[in-house]
């Protein structure tokens, strides 16, 4: 009865874990949740007010599939100012979250059997999104020793005659790494050399905790501009996960294809959220700064705690809201109840049962030696969580 496509699909491990944690909490378990990639702040007030106003003004109907022109114009202004990218509104398609923007992109780019290069550790959905589009995911490790930056050698080794595209995600989920300008240039040059499309997911772009500036692959060269889909969204920087707004900016032919696809799936993204997104782009820079300051304080706290723990290695990442410590120093060791920790699934199961803290196993991100800790959680909870984590480590023999 069920299609091969669905049979071969793995459900989102991050979302499945979130549901499991909610269920346990519903049963009265107190759990410190560091598993979800979702800001713990409410959406800025000016965004909420813009949504209220939109509803009162009757903006409750369908819009054009690609989104209202005022929002697309505002997105073009943002891409020009922040990213040095000159797009016109006809090249923008507003979607139901960056997730739909990614699904649209993969479907617009892939023919059956086309290979899409994904750097690992990678966000859970990339592999499945490529499979949904009929493509073949090709994983290229970005090594921990290299601060999770991909290398030219590894990238070039993965290119074959079937290669079609490369997915880039910087700042990165799950590692928090920011690809350096030279890494981005190296990827763009490789894409040009082999005629590949780049799909650049820039959703964490505002969450950079140093004075580095985001650097968009499309800005590298004329080839890059003509062969890159730039993706962004409002979920992370503006604490708008529930509003479901993201977008693609693409060469016109791909942009038209994306709009055509979306016209047969969801039509326009939520109308009220589109009006709210205009307010986010125009009025929320102070809100972003406020949330960023809090995230950074937590990042430093978490990193310093992890650094001091034995048999834990951690890259000091400077973006998004994740750290990805290597916990493999504990593999093969015995928990107080006598179980051997075999991998990061076992490590996270142990942390959940022993310390009541929820982490995502690296297996979800094609990185079995690590676990992902999200610091989109209050400093108070992070302190409690790290105390419990450290104690649970001490109990491992
Ligand atoms: N890309 C990355 C790297 C993410 O972490 C997320 C978070 N779910 C998304 C895309 C999708 O975000 P959304 O659909 O909420 O805009
Ligand atoms: N991107 C977030 C995460 O990685 C939200 C969950 C999801 O969409 O997978 O946790």
């Amino acid at each position: 009865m069920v299609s091969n496509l669905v049979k071969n699909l793995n459900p989102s491990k991050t979302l499945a874990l979130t549901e499991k944690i909610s269920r346990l909490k519903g049963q009265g378990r107190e759990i410190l949740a560091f598993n979800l990639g979702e800001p713990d702040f409410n959406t800025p007030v000016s965004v909420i007010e813009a949504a209220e106003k939109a509803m009162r003004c009757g903006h409750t109907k369908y819009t054009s599939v690609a989104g209202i022109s005022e929002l697309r114009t505002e997105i073009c202004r943002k891409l020009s100012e922040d990213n040095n990218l000159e797009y016109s509104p006809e090249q923008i398609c507003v979607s139901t979250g960056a997730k739909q923007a990614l699904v649209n992109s993969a479907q617009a780019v892939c023919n059956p059997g086309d290979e899409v290069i994904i750097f690992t550790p990678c966000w859970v959905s990339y592999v499945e999104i490529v499979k949904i589009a009929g493509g073949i995911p090709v994983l290229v490790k970005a090594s921990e020793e290299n601060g999770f930056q991909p290398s030219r050698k590894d990238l070039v080794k993965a290119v074959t005659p079937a290669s079609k595209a490369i997915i880039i995600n910087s700042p990165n989920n799950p590692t928090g790494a920011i690809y350096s300008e030279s890494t981005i240039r190296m990827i763009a040059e490789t894409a040009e050399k082999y005629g590949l499309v780049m799909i650049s997911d820039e959703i964490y772009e505002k969450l950079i905790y140093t004075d580095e500036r985001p650097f968009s692959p499309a800005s590298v060269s004329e080839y890059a501009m003509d062969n890159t889909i730039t993706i962004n969204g409002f979920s992370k920087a503006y604490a708008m996960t529930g509003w479901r707004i993201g977008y693609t900016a693409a060469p016109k032919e791909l942009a038209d294809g994306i709009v055509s696809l979306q016209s047969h799936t969801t039509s326009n993204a939520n109308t009220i959220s589109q009006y709210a997104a205009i307010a986010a782009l125009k009025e929320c820079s102070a809100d972003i700064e406020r949330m960023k300051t809090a995230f950074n304080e937590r990042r430093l706290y978490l990193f310093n705690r992890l650094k001091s723990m034995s048999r834990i290695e951690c890259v000091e990442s400077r973006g998004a809201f994740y750290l990805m410590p290597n916990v493999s120093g504990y593999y093969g060791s015995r928990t107080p109840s006598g179980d051997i920790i075999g991998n990061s699934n076992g490590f996270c199961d142990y942390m959940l049962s022993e310390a009541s803290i929820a982490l995502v196993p690296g297996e979800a991100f094609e990185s079995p030696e690590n676990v992902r800790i999200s610091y989109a959680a209050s400093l108070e909870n992070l302190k409690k969580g790290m105390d419990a984590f450290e104690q649970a480590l001490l109990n491992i023999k």
Side-chain angles (χ1 to χ4, degrees), residues 6-17 19 99 124-125 128 131 364:
V6 167
K7 265 191 220 151
N8 290 330
L9 214 56
N10 295 306
S12 165
K13 292 192 182 109
T14 44
L15 295 178
L17 185 61
E19 276 173 37
K99 208 175 243 180
V124 270
S125 291
E128 307 305 317
K131 280 160 53 183

Side-chain angles (χ1 to χ4, degrees), residues 369-387:
E369 302 205 320
N370 304 79
V371 298
R372 187 187 78 176
I373 309 184
S374 161
Y375 48 88
S378 71
L379 198 54
E380 188 193 344
N381 279 353
L382 278 171
K383 284 179 179 164
K384 270 200 253 170
M386 280 304 101
D387 289 345

Side-chain angles (χ1 to χ4, degrees), residues 12 14-15 35-37 99 123-124 173 204 236 322 372:
S12 165
T14 44
L15 295 178
N35 56 305
L36 190 59
K99 208 175 243 180
W123 177 48
V124 270
N173 178 6
Y204 292 98
K236 315 293 173 173
Y322 310 105
R372 187 187 78 176

